């Protein structure tokens, strides 16, 4: 099983990115190819000329985050990769490294056997509010349950069979906040089936507190 993890970074001298690197980089010695992708912070108003999927309160931070995600996939999700992980700059693990490696293997097996589009290792909640409703909670899915919506993309994984569909849609140049965009594009998927996602019953990754690049708002751990 060939696994890549692209770690999207911008301000590596900031505490949240220091902690995120400290948490994720050891996976590079445990059978997961760890790729730090350092991006320049997006500035400008070009994003105003590219309408998002849904109208809303979008800013340069949202556009920059999407372009960083797009770059990560297009440059690194090669045909030989079985499991492709993308982690944001504030992602830290809640579980041990060996346990996380085990979860990626479990997730990849689950995806192949059930044609899952992609997986989140983060939380299904914002505060006390459930954001990823239970679609199928069968015990056969192990550490995961199936849902039709994922929020937050600080630690996600795509199986090989999602690669072509994902890249084709990235090349269409639509955009939005990454989680919203992924929910949108997979609604029209025919192979794999539409909106078939998996999320952990208990999150293995959280966002480290700090100033968000999306909206310049301080956010606590979640």
């Amino acid at each position: 099983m060939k696994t890549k993890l692209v770690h999207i970074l911008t301000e590596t001298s900031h505490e949240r990115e220091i902690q995120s690197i400290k948490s994720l980089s050891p996976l590079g010695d445990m059978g997961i190819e760890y790729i730090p992708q350092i991006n320049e912070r997006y500035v400008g108003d070009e994003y105003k000329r590219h309408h998002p999927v849904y109208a809303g309160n979008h800013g340069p931070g949202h556009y920059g985050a999407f372009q960083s995600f797009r770059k990560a996939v297009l440059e690194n999700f090669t045909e030989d990769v079985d499991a492709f992980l993308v982690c944001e700059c504030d992602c830290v693990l809640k579980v041990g490294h060996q346990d996380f490696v085990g979860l990626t293997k479990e997730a990849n097996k689950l995806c192949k056997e059930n044609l899952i589009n992609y997986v989140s290792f983060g939380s299904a909640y914002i505060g006390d509010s459930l954001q990823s409703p239970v679609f199928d909670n069968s015990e056969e899915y192990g550490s995961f349950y199936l849902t039709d919506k994922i929020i937050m993309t600080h630690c996600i994984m795509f199986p090989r069979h999602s690669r072509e569909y994902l890249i084709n849609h990235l090349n269409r140049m639509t955009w939005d906040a990454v989680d919203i965009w992924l929910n949108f594009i997979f609604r029209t998927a025919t192979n794999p089936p539409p909106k078939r996602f998996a999320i952990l019953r208990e999150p293995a990754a959280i966002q480290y507190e700090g100033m968000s690049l999306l909206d310049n708002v301080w956010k606590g751990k979640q």
Side-chain angles (χ1 to χ4, degrees):
M1 174 176 162
K2 183 176 179 61
T3 306
K4 283 185 181 179
L5 186 158
V6 177
H7 194 182
I8 297 175
L9 303 164
T10 303
E11 298 171 335
T12 55
S13 63
H14 288 203
E15 183 63 18
R16 67 177 191 154
E17 298 201 15
I18 291 171
Q19 293 300 323
S20 186
I21 293 168
K22 181 179 178 180
S23 179
L24 296 177
S25 60
L27 294 170
D29 297 322
M30 306 185 73
I32 294 177
E33 183 179 351
Y34 173 79
I35 304 168
Q37 174 186 295
I38 302 176
N39 310 281
E40 291 186 7
R41 184 166 186 168
Y42 175 81
V43 294
D45 58 6
E46 178 189 1
Y47 73 96
K48 296 179 181 178
R49 299 191 290 273
H50 300 279
H51 297 295
V53 170
Y54 296 110
N57 186 26
H58 297 81
H62 298 92
Y63 187 75
F66 184 83
Q67 294 306 317
S68 295
F69 169 76
R70 183 174 186 271
K71 177 182 178 182
V73 174
L74 295 182
E75 293 186 357
N76 298 285
F77 198 172
T78 49
E79 293 181 356
D80 60 332
V81 172
D82 297 296
F84 184 74
L85 291 99
V86 181
C87 294
E88 295 176 350
C89 64
D90 54 1
C91 174
V92 292
L93 299 181
K94 287 185 65 179
V95 299
H97 294 101
Q98 195 61 57
D99 289 337
F100 185 77
V101 171
L103 286 171
T104 63
K105 292 178 180 179
E106 181 183 351
N108 190 56
K109 183 174 184 291
L110 176 67
C111 287
K112 289 196 296 183
E113 292 179 352
N114 298 276
L115 285 177
I116 305 299
N117 288 318
Y118 85 105
V119 173
S120 171
F121 297 99
S123 178
Y125 289 81
I126 293 181
D128 295 326
S129 176
L130 178 65
Q131 300 294 313
S132 295
V134 176
F135 179 74
D136 189 338
N137 199 25
S138 171
E139 291 183 1
E140 70 179 283
Y141 303 129
S143 304
F144 300 84
Y145 69 84
L146 302 192
T147 184
D148 63 358
K149 178 185 177 184
I150 288 177
I151 49 95
M152 299 188 295
T153 53
H154 53 284
C155 189
I156 58 176
M157 190 196 86
F158 300 92
R160 181 187 290 186
H161 62 249
S162 289
R163 176 183 176 274
E164 183 177 359
Y165 186 85
L166 178 61
I167 289 174
N168 285 344
H169 279 74
L170 286 169
N171 284 330
R172 292 182 182 183
M173 302 304 291
T174 57
W175 76 281
D176 211 301
V178 175
D179 53 353
I180 293 173
W181 186 83
L182 289 170
N183 287 331
F184 171 77
I185 69 157
F186 282 117
R187 280 198 183 100
T188 56
T190 55
N191 185 21
K195 295 194 73 182
R196 196 164 173 83
F197 312 143
I199 188 166
L200 279 172
R201 301 177 194 275
E202 295 292 334
I206 60 172
Q207 293 175 298
Y208 196 83
E209 64 183 356
M211 190 69 70
S212 172
L213 293 175
L214 290 182
D215 48 21
N216 292 317
V217 173
W218 183 274
K219 296 181 179 179
K221 293 181 180 180
Q222 58 181 4

